[in-house]
Amino acid sequence: QVQLVESGGGLVQAGGSLRLSCAASRMTFGIGIYDITWYRQAPGKQRELVATITRGGSITYADSVKGRFTISRENAKNTCYLQMNSLKPEDTAVYHCRAQWMLTAEDYWGQGTQVTVSS
């Protein structure tokens, strides 16, 4: 069974930085064939798409994080990263990663990591 495990969350002051990791395991062909998306969900709010990196390397960001967050991937390590700089209290949420392979409709989610930004 494919697993995605997020890590790197924590408590940080506003203006600080965190780097989240999404480590994949048990993928037959490795993470490189998947589109990877980071989502976040704050208490009482809808889940929000944060950033996507496709298997081809195309990247998109939510307007709310453009210029502050950077998504990247290291296929050899089966890991995707989300570098978060200039963090704001409104970035507080549980962050999840998602791996999708459109060819087969495979769709996997991680359990999430908590990010808390204090003012």
Side-chain angles (χ1 to χ4, degrees):
Q1 180 74 8
V2 169
Q3 283 190 323
L4 298 178
V5 179
E6 301 96 334
S7 61
L11 174 63
V12 64
Q13 288 189 329
S17 298
L18 286 172
R19 188 176 82 154
L20 305 184
S21 298
C22 172
S25 61
R26 304 174 189 168
M27 284 180 167
T28 302
F29 301 107
I31 200 172
I33 62 171
Y34 293 83
D35 298 336
I36 308 296
T37 301
W38 285 94
Y39 292 83
R40 65 186 181 186
Q41 187 162 21
K45 294 188 177 181
Q46 287 190 332
R47 186 168 59 202
E48 175 187 18
L49 188 153
V50 176
T52 297
I53 183 166
T54 69
R55 55 183 289 176
S58 297
I59 291 173
T60 56
Y61 296 100
D63 288 343
S64 58
V65 306
K66 279 181 183 175
R68 299 188 299 121
F69 290 13
T70 302
I71 189 171
S72 62
R73 63 195 300 161
E74 194 167 355
N75 292 337
K77 293 187 176 181
N78 282 324
T79 303
C80 179
Y81 304 99
L82 186 68
Q83 177 67 43
M84 306 187 296
N85 299 328
S86 303
L87 283 162
K88 305 175 181 180
E90 51 264 43
D91 295 318
T92 295
V94 177
Y95 285 70
H96 297 266
C97 64
R98 179 185 189 185
Q100 295 172 280
W101 187 12
M102 302 305 178
L103 182 67
T104 61
E106 289 178 55
D107 191 350
Y108 306 104
W109 289 82
Q111 84 291 345
T113 185
Q114 176 70 48
V115 171
T116 303
V117 184
S118 63
S119 57

